[in-house]
């Protein structure tokens, strides 16, 4: 599955109705860091939890907040207890601990919650990465103990495998986390500027060590052409801001490559973004109209473009799932790999 990103409890520019009915999305990702700072997890709990708050009846996965703390905050202090940081909104000091991050996500009522992890910058030395992965394991154990100590909850907790770009550290981290017997496992710390071949290599070093029967989630990937490659390596779940963010920036993914909608060649183009796409946008709107909306700075552009890009991603995943069910995935993968930039 591919999970669209709804950072602030909204996939920017798209109605929940369209996410549910038009796109058939089963699960969304929302960001703990942002929702913890504003409006706050206690407010969301009082308002009936994240599902009711954002009017989303289907599943929600929230991340641990770790990635944002490490990417948005230059003023932060990491200790064995957790991470001290300042709000990027008003500078207030906050602390995330393995336990508090579980509590925040349970207050949201998220279906899948993530354990606090340390996200390293790329590149990092082996020694830095080793210490960081060790801390991530300690935090995951503390999170797990706290979570299981609360008794039965409606949420599943996934620990996150770290270890920067070192296969031995990834493997060691995975082995230790598997001892927890969690419902699923995530692979984090990728898509941080490393070459794509290295991301895939790290996934290859990790997935075989994770339980076959549990979902495996690679965080923050990827490009459309990368999705089949992760699936081929045993990955079940992915999320990425790419389809929605690129849509807002005027970049549309199609079966024949990217369409940069502001280009003059689309000025009089009556065809849809992608002839092969059955999405709401492609059923009714021309490239010329979309280009006009984009250049005029109209809000509707973001909505229509995001619907198309998400549909494109979800279609790729649907195609892969079908081929797996039919036992035809290896053949399908060969066809996809042989057709760079599209299948025409
Ligand atoms: Zn479309």
């Amino acid at each position: 599955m591919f999970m669209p990103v709804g950072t602030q409890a909204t996939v920017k520019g798209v109605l929940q109705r369209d996410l549910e009915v038009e796109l058939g999305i089963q699960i969304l990702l929302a960001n703990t860091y942002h929702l913890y700072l504003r409006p706050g997890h206690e407010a969301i709990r009082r308002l009936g939890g994240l599902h009711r708050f954002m009017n989303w009846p289907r599943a929600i996965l929230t991340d641990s907040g770790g990635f944002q703390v490490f990417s948005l905050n230059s003023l932060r202090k990491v200790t064995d207890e957790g991470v001290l940081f300042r709000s990027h909104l008003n500078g207030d000091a906050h602390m995330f601990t393995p336990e508090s991050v579980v509590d925040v996500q349970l207050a949201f009522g998220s279906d899948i919650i993530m354990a606090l992890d340390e996200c390293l910058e790329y590149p990092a030395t082996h020694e830095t990465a080793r210490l960081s992965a060790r801390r991530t394991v300690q935090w995951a154990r503390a999170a797990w103990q706290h979570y299981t100590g609360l008794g039965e909850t409606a949420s599943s907790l996934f620990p996150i495998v770290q270890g920067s770009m070192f296969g031995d550290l990834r493997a060691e981290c995975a082995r230790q986390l598997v001892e927890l017997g969690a419902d699923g496992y995530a692979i984090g710390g990728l898509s941080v500027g490393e070459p794509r071949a290295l991301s895939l290599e790290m996934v290859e070093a990790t997935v075989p060590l994770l339980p076959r029967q549990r979902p495996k989630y690679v965080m923050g990937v990827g490009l459309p052409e990368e999705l089949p490659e992760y699936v081929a390596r045993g990955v079940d779940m992915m999320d990425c801001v790419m389809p929605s963010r690129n849509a807002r920036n005027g970049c549309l993914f199609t079966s024949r490559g990217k369409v940069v909608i502001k280009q003059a060649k689309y000025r009089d183009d009556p065809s849809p973004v992608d002839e092969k796409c059955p999405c709401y946008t492609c059923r009714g709107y021309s490239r010329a109209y979309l280009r006009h909306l984009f250049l005029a700075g109209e809000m509707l552009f973001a909505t229509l473009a995001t619907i198309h890009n998400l549909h494109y991603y979800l279609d790729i995943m649907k195609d892969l799932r079908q081929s797996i069910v039919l036992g035809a995935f290896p053949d399908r993968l060969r066809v996809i790999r042989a057709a760079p930039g599209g299948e025409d």
Side-chain angles (χ1 to χ4, degrees), residues 253 272-274 276-283 304 307-309 311-312:
F253 295 108
V273 175
D274 188 341
K276 291 182 172 177
C277 180
C279 85
Y280 172 75
T281 304
C282 291
R283 289 202 307 273
L304 292 173
I307 286 175
H308 167 77
N309 271 2
H311 192 281
Y312 186 69

Side-chain angles (χ1 to χ4, degrees), residues 78-248:
V78 185
T79 67
D80 286 342
E81 283 68 50
V83 54
L84 193 64
F85 63 96
R86 290 195 175 279
S87 160
H88 73 286
L89 298 173
N90 59 13
D92 284 356
H94 294 270
M95 174 105 180
F96 274 166
T97 69
E99 295 84 2
S100 77
V101 161
V102 167
D103 291 337
V104 167
Q105 294 176 87
L106 291 179
F108 294 154
S110 309
D111 300 282
I112 301 176
I113 68 177
M114 306 299 298
L116 185 64
D117 60 328
E118 186 176 5
C119 299
L120 278 187
E121 287 157 10
Y122 173 80
T125 65
H126 190 276
E127 182 60 8
T128 304
R130 188 182 67 81
L131 294 172
S132 173
R134 194 173 72 178
R135 175 172 281 138
T136 290
V137 170
Q138 283 166 358
W139 284 355
R141 285 179 183 145
W144 185 255
Q145 198 174 3
H146 180 66
Y147 161 80
T148 51
L150 296 171
E152 197 77 9
T153 71
S155 313
S156 291
L157 173 68
F158 286 17
I160 304 173
V161 177
Q162 289 286 350
S164 190
M165 303 305 155
F166 303 101
D168 61 323
L169 298 179
R170 291 264 167 195
E172 183 56 26
C173 187
R175 272 192 284 270
Q176 292 180 331
L177 294 179
V178 165
E179 289 171 13
L180 299 176
D183 293 325
Y185 288 88
I187 301 173
L190 299 179
S191 272
V192 289
E194 77 281 9
R196 292 299 165 171
L198 200 49
S199 331
L200 291 171
E201 199 185 306
M202 291 304 107
V203 169
E204 285 168 14
T206 311
V207 168
L209 299 166
L210 299 174
R212 253 184 100 79
Q213 69 280 16
R214 296 277 186 254
K216 288 165 275 291
Y217 162 32
V218 176
M219 308 180 79
V221 298
L223 287 165
E225 61 269 26
E226 292 167 348
L227 304 181
E229 295 300 330
Y230 285 107
V231 171
R233 286 160 178 81
V235 173
D236 304 290
M237 303 167 63
M238 290 169 271
D239 79 279
C240 191
V241 292
M242 192 94 67
S244 40
R245 182 178 291 165
N246 280 21
R248 296 195 301 279

